[in-house]
Amino acid sequence: MRGDGDGWVMSDGGGHFWGRHGAAGLLLRAPGPDGTFAVLLQHRAPWSHQGGTWGLPGGARDSHESVEEAAIREAAEEAGLEAVQLTVRVSMVTHEVPGWTYTTVIADAAEQLATTPNRESSELRWVAEHAVADLPLHPGFAASWDRLRTVTADMPLLFP
């Protein structure tokens, strides 16, 4: 079932942004084998907007949802994750234009969870945080990664 958030918003500058009520994505962290953390990334399907790039599971926010609810719903749809597997830590707006925002919800999991991609994903992969920038990233995620990495560096994993 499609929510009321699906649709494009055009900014004053002519840019198109997905999500009539904004959008949200989930930056899910879990312990890596070397004691650092890994993040779950989505390789976007070729047909999707910015297809072929790596980013976060996420998408349009419906009018009745908080950003946390939207990010968790999108992670369930795109990666098969369940809310009970995640502990939300913090949410932060990582892109904003008049009338539209993208919010990244940072959450932790006790382990690198198994995932089930939907048709919007070519692949889902746990990536060591130090290797994220080596991938061809979605431009919006690439622009926010250094800031997100700084925030998460000061936030120890809940499940070491």
Side-chain angles (χ1 to χ4, degrees):
M1 180 172 105
R2 302 193 109 197
D4 69 348
D6 286 352
W8 293 97
V9 171
M10 187 183 310
S11 72
D12 293 343
H16 289 80
F17 301 91
W18 183 251
R20 295 178 51 226
H21 308 288
L26 186 72
L27 177 62
L28 184 59
R29 310 180 316 156
D34 62 356
T36 62
F37 66 86
V39 296
L40 180 63
L41 295 183
Q42 174 194 49
H43 193 201
R44 299 170 63 82
W47 59 264
S48 68
H49 185 251
Q50 300 292 339
T53 62
W54 289 86
L56 303 176
R61 184 169 71 101
D62 292 335
S63 62
H64 64 278
E65 292 179 307
S66 68
V67 291
E68 293 83 5
E69 289 168 333
I72 290 170
R73 175 185 50 77
E74 288 286 340
E77 291 173 7
E78 296 178 3
L81 300 175
E82 297 179 27
V84 298
Q85 298 174 294
L86 320 172
T87 301
V88 171
R89 301 295 301 275
V90 67
S91 300
M92 55 191 289
V93 173
T94 50
H95 190 83
E96 185 170 16
V97 296
W100 187 88
T101 58
Y102 185 93
T103 303
T104 301
V105 176
I106 301 171
D108 289 348
E111 62 185 351
Q112 294 181 23
L113 303 169
T115 59
T116 305
N118 73 357
R119 65 183 189 86
E120 296 178 40
S121 305
S122 293
E123 178 184 358
L124 294 163
R125 182 189 305 169
W126 287 95
V127 178
E129 63 91 21
H130 63 81
V132 168
D134 296 338
L135 296 170
L137 300 178
H138 179 283
F141 180 53
S144 64
W145 176 240
D146 285 341
R147 182 173 163 220
L148 290 165
R149 193 170 180 195
T150 299
V151 168
T152 59
D154 295 332
M155 187 185 309
L157 281 168
L158 288 177
F159 312 101

